[in-house]
Amino acid sequence: MPRKPLFRCVSLIGIGLIGSSMARAMRRDPSIAGRIVAAARTDKTCATVLRLGIADAATTDVVAAVKDADMVFICTPVGACAEVARAIGPALAPGTIVSDVGSVKQSVIRDIARHLPEGVAFVPGHPIAGTEHSGPEAGFAELFQGRWTILTPLPGSDRGPVDKVAEFWRRCGSQVEVMDPAHHDMILAITSHLPHLISYTIVGTATDLGDDLKAEVFKFAAGGFRDFTRIAASDPVMWRDVFLNNRQAVLEMLQRFLEDLSQLQRWIRRGEGDKLEALFTRTRAIRRGVIEAKQA
Ligand code: NAP
């Protein structure tokens, strides 16, 4: 007899790159969800989801999407979380678990928790996996394979729902770590948010160059620029929301970065090659560490 799935009905509010990758991972492993319901803002996305066959139903009505769910993942840009939670809160049945995939955790907790009724568990989460593409066609079942998902449960929350959400991510191929939300936001500010900000800046600077120079930048992009263009092609709305919602941690990391950049500027101006070489030797070892951690 087939095993009872982990969840009877999983509702994905927002089904872009992340939501559709979760849907595909659930399709790949039927032990995760008996039924998948998706909600999006537009009819076009709902039609795409049904054509791809990655959910059993798709709707623009977020309330209808959570009505029968025992597990709800909010997978919209973080700026839309408050509006979604306010709408679905009254429709959630007692015993339902709500989670999210937002790249910022403190603001999402502030925006979602207050709209959830008594008897509904909230387990905030963030899969550290992604690409520069967006929308339901960009997703793939292997996105989370070997990557980390960070859960940031609220103090005093029940173990049961946290364990179930952790198990969901493990069955999607992910490793799971539990962390304090403020710590999450600080770590992500340096490992993800600042690198995106730097990429947006460099590509923006190149775009503002004179026409002749700009043509050469594209022609010789393989010199390093192209790696920044990939990151700077990431979704503008998602990243606008990340910077507005992780303001404090990003500004703190940016300040440190600017100080270090000024120091490099000074070393170059003064011809202090030994200092440059020592730094570049240290940073090379970091790359080896990332490869050894299988996160390259
Ligand atoms: P995405 O591809 O742009 O998809 C966003 C989805 O949310 C779309 O289905 C969109 O519907 C829907 N949506 C937007 N506003 C909505 C609203 N008010 N009500 C209902 N649905 C709404 O975004 P994504 O890359 O999957 O990112 C989703 C979340 O995952 C973000 O919070 C992001 O921080 C987080 N995350 C992203 C990455 C990454 O690399 N992309 C990695 C980890 C975590 P329509 O298509 O109809 O507009």
Side-chain angles (χ1 to χ4, degrees):
M1 209 168 83
R3 203 154 52 117
K4 199 169 138 225
L6 184 63
F7 296 111
R8 186 176 35 75
C9 176
V10 172
S11 171
L12 300 164
I13 310 293
I15 181 137
L17 170 72
I18 301 297
S20 76
S21 295
M22 295 161 75
R24 286 174 171 94
M26 286 189 266
R27 285 288 199 232
R28 184 184 58 183
D29 179 355
S31 81
I32 303 176
R35 182 173 159 77
I36 305 168
V37 177
R41 221 174 7 175
T42 59
D43 290 326
K44 185 166 169 269
T45 296
C46 292
T48 304
V49 166
L50 294 176
R51 176 173 53 76
L52 293 170
I54 53 178
D56 301 296
T59 173
T60 54
D61 181 347
V62 291
V63 174
V66 302
K67 216 163 39 70
D68 300 319
D70 54 346
M71 179 71 233
V72 176
F73 285 99
I74 302 179
C75 307
T76 64
V78 291
C81 284
E83 168 198 332
V84 167
R86 191 182 310 116
I88 65 172
L92 297 168
T96 307
I97 303 172
V98 173
S99 185
D100 76 298
V101 296
S103 307
V104 183
K105 295 280 46 95
Q106 290 175 105
S107 71
V108 161
I109 291 171
R110 177 198 67 207
D111 289 348
I112 295 179
R114 64 198 156 113
H115 296 296
L116 303 184
E118 193 88 4
V120 168
F122 181 35
V123 184
H126 177 204
I128 313 296
T131 73
E132 68 278 24
H133 303 295
S134 33
E137 287 181 287
F140 51 102
E142 300 75 25
L143 179 64
F144 311 110
Q145 204 65 44
R147 300 284 174 234
W148 285 95
T149 296
I150 298 177
L151 301 182
T152 61
L154 282 65
S157 32
D158 289 344
R159 265 317 300 232
V162 178
D163 289 346
K164 279 191 96 171
V165 175
E167 182 58 22
F168 170 91
W169 284 110
R170 280 192 209 99
R171 292 192 196 181
C172 289
S174 185
Q175 311 176 75
V176 178
E177 181 136 328
V178 171
M179 199 182 276
D180 168 73
H183 191 62
H184 166 279
D185 289 354
M186 194 59 89
I187 299 283
L188 268 291
I190 187 68
T191 55
S192 168
H193 307 171
L194 194 59
H196 275 81
L197 196 68
I198 294 166
S199 302
Y200 283 125
T201 318
I202 292 182
V203 176
T205 304
T207 313
D208 294 339
L209 290 172
D211 285 345
D212 286 0
L213 261 177
K214 210 190 304 183
E216 308 255 73
V217 167
F218 290 127
K219 186 169 166 189
F220 300 118
F225 182 68
R226 74 168 171 206
D227 295 335
F228 287 107
T229 62
R230 186 186 61 73
I231 299 178
S234 300
D235 191 75
V237 173
M238 171 192 151
W239 282 97
R240 176 203 66 193
D241 286 2
V242 166
F243 292 118
L244 294 182
N245 285 281
N246 199 20
R247 198 180 303 224
Q248 209 184 332
V250 168
L251 290 176
E252 189 175 324
M253 288 303 166
L254 187 60
Q255 183 57 36
R256 286 182 188 220
F257 172 75
L258 291 173
E259 286 165 18
D260 291 345
L261 198 62
S262 301
Q263 191 176 51
L264 274 175
Q265 190 182 30
R266 214 163 31 243
W267 290 345
I268 294 170
R269 190 185 305 115
R270 292 179 184 166
E272 296 186 286
D274 53 335
K275 291 188 175 144
L276 290 171
E277 192 181 328
L279 173 68
F280 301 161
T281 305
R282 270 200 294 134
T283 57
R284 189 177 226 186
I286 296 286
R287 174 70 187 166
R288 280 198 291 271
V290 171
I291 293 170
E292 277 160 22
K294 295 195 169 53
Q295 298 301 310

